[in-house]
Every structure is written in C-alpha cells, then in structure tokens.
Amino acid sequence: GRRNGEFKSPRGINIHEITGDIFVCDFGNNRMQVFTPEYKFKSKFGNLYHPMCVQLSLECIIVLDQGNPCVHVYNFDYSLKRSIISHGLMGQVRSTRTFCLDSEGNILLTDYDSNCICVFKYDGSLLHQIFKGVIAPVGISLDTRGRIIVVSHRDDNCLQFF
C-alpha cells in the first residue's frame, strides 16, 4: 500500500539501539518509514528511488538508494546531510546491493557488476577498493575483529572472508 505504515516491496530494516525506533526501506514507494518500538507509524522521509539498505550510527541514518545509485546520509530529524554519488566516475560503484559501516564510520559498499567493495570515508571520499577474490557481492558485514565477510551470489554461492 501507499498510506503511512503500508509498504510496497519493503527491503532493508534496522533498529536504533538507543530509541528502539524501527527504520524500514520502502523500496516500491521510494521512501523510508519509521516506526516506534511499539510498531506504530512515526514518520516517513526521503526523496528516494528504490531504497535498499539502511544503517544507523549514533549521529545519522545512512540509506543506500539503489535506483540512483547513491548513499544518502540523513540527520535524525530526517533532513538530508549529504549524498555520496557512487556511479559514473572511474573508481566508483556501478551496481550497488548493500553496505555496512566499520568501527571508524567508513562505508563499505558492494559493487555487484564490478566484483568489488568500495570503502568510502564518512565524508564521502573514496578510500580504496577491494577487488581480489570478490565475486558478485550481495551481502556484507564485519565480524567482531573487523574482518569483512561477503555473501557471493554467482558461481559457488559462498561466503568470502577478507
């Protein structure tokens, strides 16, 4: 549905560790929706085109907008802080699927078509890319020691460790 609290192809979800608010990527309605810990609709925000994944830090909300593709950084009042454009430039991302944050606040963004992981600083500048051994990354996380774990979609459908 299109009304507040209704979804059309929801994707990513995350829960704010302090407030308990629930953030949901409403992919088909091109918006983010926020719910209270009691599952009541609280707000919607974002001028997005297919939000896919959401991560929360103590300072901000970070949303992967797969349709653009770019990463939007929002304040907790839902105002846009900045956008990290991830396509069209050499050394940047062609086909985003998901991302995670490391302990320093860097954004690790998967690139399915280029078989790589792009690491961006919080300010949006590209730090580096990881190509060696990355195959069709569709999921990414960090273990407790900060090592990158990637879910591969093609070939052997496996977990990859970096």
Side-chain angles (χ1 to χ4, degrees), residues 4-5 20-22 33-43:
N4 292 342
D21 285 348
I22 303 161
Q33 291 200 63
V34 184
F35 297 84
T36 68
E38 295 76 31
Y39 314 117
K40 298 198 183 315
F41 175 81
K42 181 176 181 178
S43 187

Side-chain angles (χ1 to χ4, degrees), residues 94-161:
R94 290 179 17 201
S95 177
T96 57
R97 292 292 191 270
T98 189
F99 73 98
C100 69
L101 304 176
D102 69 12
S103 61
E104 298 169 8
N106 295 320
I107 300 167
L108 287 76
L109 186 65
T110 63
D111 186 343
Y112 184 84
D113 289 345
S114 296
N115 296 312
C116 75
I117 300 162
C118 295
V119 182
F120 292 91
K121 288 174 69 174
Y122 178 75
D123 67 6
S125 59
L126 182 66
L127 283 174
H128 64 277
Q129 294 173 294
I130 302 168
F131 286 97
K132 186 172 177 142
V134 179
I135 302 169
V138 294
I140 188 168
S141 191
L142 299 173
D143 69 12
T144 56
R145 292 189 273 172
R147 292 179 301 185
I148 301 169
I149 304 171
V150 173
V151 176
S152 173
H153 181 60
R154 269 193 249 144
D155 299 329
D156 52 2
N157 293 304
C158 66
L159 293 177
Q160 298 173 294
F161 303 89

Side-chain angles (χ1 to χ4, degrees), residues 42-67:
K42 181 176 181 178
S43 187
K44 63 184 176 188
F45 68 94
N47 183 13
L48 304 164
Y49 183 60
H50 299 328
M52 188 72 166
C53 180
V54 60
Q55 296 289 332
L56 305 172
S57 74
L58 293 177
E59 299 85 31
C60 62
I61 306 157
I62 306 168
V63 179
L64 170 62
D65 192 358
Q66 188 181 28

